[in-house]
Amino acid sequence: MGPYLLGLRLSGRRVLVVGGGRVAQRRVPALLEAGAEVTVVSPGVTPALDDLIAAGRVTWHARPYEVGDCDGAWLVQACTDDRAVNTAVAAEAEAKRVWCVRADDKDASAAWTPATGRVDEISVAVTAGGDPRRAAGMRDAVVGALRDGTVDARRNRTKPVGVALVGGGPGDPGLITVRGRQLLAQADVVVADRLAPRALLDELAPDVELVDAAKVPYGRALSQETISELLVDRARQGKFVVRLKGGDPFVFGRGGEEMIACAHAGIPVLVVPGITSAVAVPAAAGVPVTHRGVSQEFHVISVHVAPDDPKSTVDWPAMARSQGTLVLMMAVERLAKVADALVRDGRAPETPVMVVQDGTLPTQRAVTASLSTVADRVSAAGIRPPAIVVVGDVVRVGQEVEMVRAERLP
């Protein structure tokens, strides 16, 4: 017969754990989290358990099990690697009508410890006929679905209110944060950027209002003022609004402007940071933006206007003198002027450059060149936005990694 599942409220109740090895190490923290008063009986314990004992969170009797140890316990865990000891512990517990879990024999165990997980106020416990690995796999699937909102999060009575500015990450839908995905599943309205992970939008419920706030370069665009008005209007209607952006809302994402607009309207705003493409895209191409002995700093620069444009606020001579990595965003169509400015102000013409298009997506491709040749190479390769430009010696680190990998191939 299957077990009768029950949630034990162990706060202030004594739980006996016999054994101080790896099984006990896994189970004791969960018992403590439930508020149990844990006593461990074992000649020795693992370092992790020793830390809990030293902190006064666990009572330890440094000796073998003795008859009578089960007295006063509400639950017993027999976790030794000695079958005879576990049998004796279980027998005493049975005689005293105390539930006992045997780690070594599921069939002889009066109770099973489920694989558990918690998401907000929801606790998940799974048993799988005493098979802990299968139970853990099922637990992970359910907890994951709760965290990312695929288990009908919109029925939650405590759904957020106002506006959430959510960073969707660099493009791959798997790189949005757990919190971001959870809020997206709870949204009544989603206002999405062109660079937001579009695959996630297919998962929205049919009744979710989707507003395309794409800003296509040199094409149609929804003005920032209109976007801010949309956020405020829908939130005032009592709807929960998610503003889904590519990368991070506050890294050239104009999230600050939207937050200010909502603040003026008295709309609560929740900010969920995202993985910025300035770091993630170089990483996806195998290039670290910092590397010991190569670059101790990196600069993230928006090149929506060229270096010689009066609207530019970038100190390009300082960037040329810097020995750090330069990560250029929105730079592809002004790359020739950027390269000329950097070389003119002191960067070596042979400085390596990598340009990565569609970073983290299946269509990702990269071109490597030098400052003196990068504009022509990018043009010849047909590289188009969205793309990230990395300038600096860290590009050689990525090339070195590729060379090592190639040498190890059979």
Side-chain angles (χ1 to χ4, degrees):
M1 294 183 181
Y4 180 82
L5 298 182
L6 188 69
L8 298 181
R9 303 179 69 183
L10 295 175
S11 181
R13 293 179 167 88
R14 180 173 181 263
V15 175
L16 172 67
V17 178
V18 182
R22 289 179 296 176
V23 175
Q25 178 178 305
R26 291 198 303 270
R27 295 188 179 176
V28 167
L31 294 168
L32 292 174
E33 189 175 342
E37 295 179 358
V38 177
T39 297
V40 172
V41 174
S42 178
V45 294
T46 67
L49 287 174
D50 202 19
D51 283 344
L52 294 173
I53 293 163
R57 300 187 63 194
V58 172
T59 300
W60 180 30
H61 298 305
R63 56 168 175 77
Y65 159 76
E66 297 175 357
V67 174
D69 282 337
C70 292
D71 289 347
W74 292 72
L75 176 67
V76 174
Q77 299 265 353
C79 304
T80 78
D81 56 5
D82 187 325
R83 183 176 180 82
V85 172
N86 290 339
T87 300
V89 172
E92 181 187 354
E94 185 77 13
K96 294 175 178 177
R97 298 190 175 184
V98 178
W99 290 106
C100 178
V101 179
R102 286 188 60 163
D104 63 331
D105 190 337
K106 67 181 181 66
D107 295 321
S109 184
W112 294 336
T113 298
T116 61
R118 187 174 180 85
V119 180
D120 298 327
E121 74 282 1
I122 301 173
S123 295
V124 175
V126 180
T127 63
D131 183 339
R133 290 187 179 182
R134 187 181 181 196
M138 294 296 296
R139 180 271 321 274
D140 292 344
V142 175
V143 168
L146 284 168
R147 283 178 175 160
D148 64 25
T150 54
V151 174
D152 208 356
R154 299 184 71 215
R155 293 185 180 178
N156 191 333
R157 293 181 181 178
T158 59
K159 187 173 65 174
V161 297
V163 173
L165 305 179
V166 175
D172 181 343
L175 295 178
I176 189 174
T177 63
V178 169
R179 182 61 171 154
R181 191 157 189 169
Q182 185 181 59
L183 292 176
L184 188 64
Q186 294 176 297
D188 298 309
V189 181
V190 175
V191 182
D193 270 358
R194 180 175 66 94
L195 298 180
R198 311 297 290 185
L200 295 178
L201 304 180
D202 291 337
E203 300 176 2
L204 298 176
D207 61 333
V208 175
E209 180 185 2
L210 177 60
V211 179
D212 185 357
K215 292 184 175 67
V216 180
Y218 311 111
R220 68 177 188 83
L222 205 59
S223 72
Q224 186 58 52
E225 292 75 16
T226 301
I227 293 172
S228 296
E229 290 170 2
L230 265 169
L231 300 180
V232 170
D233 175 72
R234 298 304 191 273
R236 280 178 170 165
Q237 294 178 28
K239 298 178 179 180
F240 175 51
V241 185
V242 168
R243 175 71 168 106
L244 182 63
K245 299 171 175 287
D248 182 274
F250 289 173
V251 180
F252 304 123
R254 306 186 75 167
E257 297 174 49
E258 294 164 355
M259 184 171 62
I260 291 170
C262 289
H264 280 302
I267 302 298
V269 176
L270 173 65
V271 179
V272 180
I275 302 174
T276 175
S277 57
V279 175
V281 170
V287 175
V289 294
T290 64
H291 190 75
R292 185 164 60 93
V294 177
S295 176
Q296 297 180 2
E297 59 183 325
F298 69 97
H299 307 265
V300 181
I301 304 165
S302 169
V303 195
H304 62 283
V305 293
D308 58 356
D309 192 301
K311 297 179 181 178
S312 176
T313 61
V314 179
D315 188 346
W316 287 104
M319 294 299 97
R321 292 191 301 271
S322 169
Q323 297 302 304
T325 305
L326 306 183
V327 181
L328 312 179
M329 307 177 75
M330 297 170 277
V332 169
E333 295 176 337
R334 288 163 286 277
L335 195 49
K337 290 186 176 182
V338 169
D340 288 345
L342 290 173
V343 172
R344 181 189 65 231
D345 292 323
R347 279 265 179 163
E350 62 273 15
T351 301
V353 182
M354 175 178 280
V355 183
V356 186
Q357 176 182 321
D358 293 341
T360 76
L361 296 173
T363 53
Q364 173 179 309
R365 60 188 183 123
V367 169
T368 303
S370 65
L371 267 178
S372 61
T373 63
V374 66
D376 290 339
R377 291 285 303 277
V378 165
S379 177
I383 297 291
R384 300 292 300 164
I388 297 293
V389 180
V390 186
V391 180
D393 290 337
V394 291
V395 173
R396 293 196 178 100
V397 176
Q399 292 173 317
E400 180 182 349
V401 171
E402 289 303 314
M403 290 176 60
V404 172
R405 287 175 175 168
E407 290 173 358
R408 294 180 64 87
L409 290 175

